[in-house]
Amino acid sequence: MNILALDTSTEHCSVALWRGGVVHEHAVRAGQAHSAMLTGMVDSVLAEGGLRLSVIDGIAYGQGPGSFTGLRIACAVAQGLAFPADIPLAGIGTLHAMALACGAAKVVCCLDARMQEIYHATYVRQGDAYIEVSAPRVCAPAAAPELQGKGWTGCGSGFAAYREVLQQRYGASLVTIDDAVYPHAGDIARLAAPLFAAGRGIRAEEAAPLYIRDKVALKTAER
């Protein structure tokens, strides 16, 4: 099975090609240049893998949460690639991908959501899979959901932005923090592989980003 995966949910931009469990990935820190870089990165990773789009069995994209503009870019490009060839799509949670990238047994995933908030979810590892304990949500760091027990690893840019607040919130429940973890297209491809293998892809017109916050900017008075 051949899977193409895209992620533009953060300041990083990544594209991966999954071929029977082997992943080729290109990743750059794109800032706000995702739309200018993404299609070229897709062409490069396909060329590196020696494949044409016509032999891709599924396209996965970072569904969210994350940057509103970034989520729209990945979804739109995935739809544009998939529609002409009728390739199935799969939207993969970015926080879920972060848990896989982190690799710890119990993971608290936090992305900086700006506006003094974080995108938050928790996962525990069962075998090779990560099971969702606390669903993705947006919240103030000081109001992050409580953790059950100890031995949790915190990861993501939310910990870089609000480390002290989150450490105070979680205390001894946290054993370590890796604030450099972010969603990777390679991990999105790995999470999407069983979905495509089970025939659970969706049509291009059904794809959508996962927005868990409607408000994206502060009013002048709030700033």
Side-chain angles (χ1 to χ4, degrees):
M1 179 177 289
N2 302 316
I3 298 171
L4 181 67
L6 324 170
D7 185 74
T8 55
S9 60
T10 68
E11 67 272 23
H12 300 276
C13 181
S14 58
V15 177
L17 179 64
W18 190 94
R19 299 186 66 183
V22 178
V23 175
H24 303 274
E25 183 174 22
H26 292 186
V28 297
R29 190 180 181 92
Q32 298 182 346
H34 300 83
S35 58
M37 304 177 68
L38 187 56
T39 54
M41 292 174 66
V42 168
D43 291 340
S44 294
V45 79
L46 288 173
E48 182 179 299
L51 296 180
R52 295 180 180 273
L53 189 63
S54 59
V55 299
I56 295 297
D57 299 298
I59 300 176
Y61 64 97
Q63 186 178 36
S67 158
F68 276 55
T69 300
L71 298 183
R72 289 196 297 270
I73 290 171
C75 183
V77 171
Q79 288 174 307
L81 294 170
F83 189 78
D86 197 26
I87 300 171
L89 296 183
I92 300 297
T94 50
L95 299 175
H96 193 177
M98 286 171 58
L100 184 60
C102 178
K106 300 165 71 175
V107 190
V108 186
C109 301
C110 294
L111 283 175
D112 183 4
R114 313 300 181 186
M115 298 171 62
Q116 302 299 307
E117 291 180 320
I118 56 172
Y119 296 122
H120 177 286
T122 58
Y123 302 85
V124 296
R125 189 175 63 213
Q126 292 185 9
D128 295 330
Y130 276 89
I131 307 303
E132 181 183 283
V133 176
S134 175
R137 71 187 69 195
V138 62
C139 60
E146 295 182 358
L147 300 177
Q148 298 299 316
K150 298 183 179 180
W152 292 87
T153 295
C155 72
S157 61
F159 280 95
Y162 306 106
R163 178 181 289 256
E164 292 185 6
V165 177
L166 288 167
Q167 283 181 317
Q168 183 175 3
R169 173 66 172 163
Y170 289 138
S173 294
L174 285 177
V175 292
T176 188
I177 292 173
D178 186 352
D179 60 20
V181 173
Y182 63 92
H184 289 264
D187 294 312
I188 287 169
R190 293 180 180 96
L191 291 171
L195 298 180
F196 288 127
R200 293 171 56 192
I202 61 175
R203 297 180 63 84
E205 59 268 27
E206 299 173 321
L210 173 64
Y211 298 132
I212 58 176
R213 180 174 68 189
D214 295 328
K215 186 176 181 180
V216 296
L218 291 173
K219 297 178 181 178
T220 302
E222 293 172 323
R223 292 197 297 270

